Amino acid sequence: MNVTQRQTALIVGASRGLGLALVKEFLERDWSVIATQRTPSQELDKLTERFSGTLRIETVDIAYAGEVRLLRDRLDGQQLDLLFINAGIARSIEATPATIDEVDFLSMMLVNSLSPVRAAEILRDLVPRGNVIAIMTSELGSITNAEDGWQCYSASKAALNMLMKKFASRYAEDAYALLLIAPGWVRTEMGGNEATLSIEESIPLVVDTIKANLGLPGLRYLDRFNRIIPW
């Protein structure tokens, strides 16, 4: 009798918010999940009790390349159907380039832009040709969006999108399905209470978007409805 093997996802940045919801959604869809936390997460621990044998927790801070490389070593031999990187901070959101604290701006560029694509580059050989590498982005990172507000945060997401575009060109022969996914304005700690979507409204559709793009090579900028976003 043939036994269908579970698909496996590595979700980086999974201890809370959207990342934690992604872990839960994939587990409930009968995937095996490797979830990373920066610091211990009681919520992830609770999920290991519920999904014994299908959830593995790793600790890593992707702002440090050395920690990502150690994670890569620990996962040696693992093959992933999906590598999903969720990383983002918002600092001085109402500041302009003339008023923002430089430390805040550099922190956002490190966490929101450099770290996700660097992690994808370090971990990519765990993802066989044709499988999915996805990174959480924001529609605010579109250069077609010139609205005021969140200027420097938007710049960090625009930089992320450009770095991913270069990543796609560099590894085009590997035929990855490369996804930059904008989940919408979600009520999380960063999104705030005025956001238009709950996590429960956003994340199932994000997972549907990922599944719809399995095996489709090339880079796509997608919202949670699987619509291509103009960048």
Side-chain angles (χ1 to χ4, degrees):
M1 182 176 68
N2 292 328
V3 178
T4 302
Q5 186 175 0
R6 283 190 177 92
Q7 292 173 294
T8 300
L10 168 57
I11 300 177
V12 178
S15 59
R16 58 191 176 88
L18 296 178
L20 181 65
L22 278 169
V23 171
K24 183 178 178 182
E25 186 72 22
F26 276 109
L27 288 170
E28 290 178 341
R29 298 192 190 202
D30 206 29
W31 282 53
S32 292
V33 176
I34 305 165
T36 79
Q37 58 185 6
R38 187 170 59 87
T39 57
S41 167
Q42 292 182 353
E43 295 301 319
L44 279 178
D45 289 340
K46 291 177 183 177
L47 286 178
T48 60
E49 297 172 6
R50 180 179 170 190
F51 296 96
S52 177
T54 57
L55 174 59
R56 170 179 172 180
I57 300 175
E58 292 283 348
T59 299
V60 64
D61 185 342
I62 69 165
Y64 297 95
E67 290 196 22
V68 181
R69 292 190 176 96
L70 288 173
L71 173 66
R72 164 64 189 81
D73 292 343
R74 293 196 298 273
L75 297 180
D76 191 41
Q78 177 72 60
Q79 290 198 334
L80 303 172
D81 298 280
L82 166 68
L83 167 61
F84 194 104
I85 301 170
N86 172 51
I89 58 172
R91 302 277 170 81
S92 302
I93 58 175
E94 297 303 328
T96 70
T99 62
I100 192 169
D101 183 280
E102 290 179 358
V103 172
D104 284 347
F105 183 72
L106 292 173
S107 294
M108 286 193 293
M109 293 300 289
L110 173 61
V111 175
N112 297 352
S113 308
L114 174 61
S115 294
V117 182
R118 182 173 63 189
E121 191 161 349
I122 293 170
L123 298 168
R124 71 177 188 85
D125 64 341
L126 301 174
V127 185
R129 289 172 57 92
N131 287 359
V132 180
I133 298 174
I135 295 178
M136 197 79 84
T137 188
S138 168
E139 292 183 41
L140 294 176
S142 169
I143 61 173
T144 65
N145 182 350
E147 295 178 4
D148 194 14
W150 293 58
Q151 290 184 38
C152 296
Y153 172 85
S154 299
S156 70
K157 288 298 186 178
L160 164 65
N161 297 337
M162 180 53 72
L163 286 172
M164 195 60 168
K165 185 176 289 187
K166 298 298 184 181
F167 180 98
S169 176
R170 190 161 61 253
Y171 299 113
E173 293 184 359
D174 291 324
Y176 295 124
L178 298 173
L179 309 179
L180 280 161
I181 296 181
W185 188 17
V186 186
R187 289 190 290 275
T188 62
E189 182 179 337
M190 189 164 66
N193 293 329
E194 295 181 359
T196 56
L197 293 170
S198 69
I199 289 177
E200 292 76 17
E201 290 170 315
S202 175
I203 289 303
L205 293 175
V206 168
V207 174
D208 288 342
T209 293
I210 292 168
K211 293 184 68 176
N213 284 272
L214 285 168
L216 299 178
L219 175 63
R220 284 175 293 285
Y221 305 83
L222 301 164
D223 69 7
R224 69 190 195 286
F225 296 113
N226 205 26
R227 299 176 301 201
I228 295 178
I229 301 168
W231 296 92

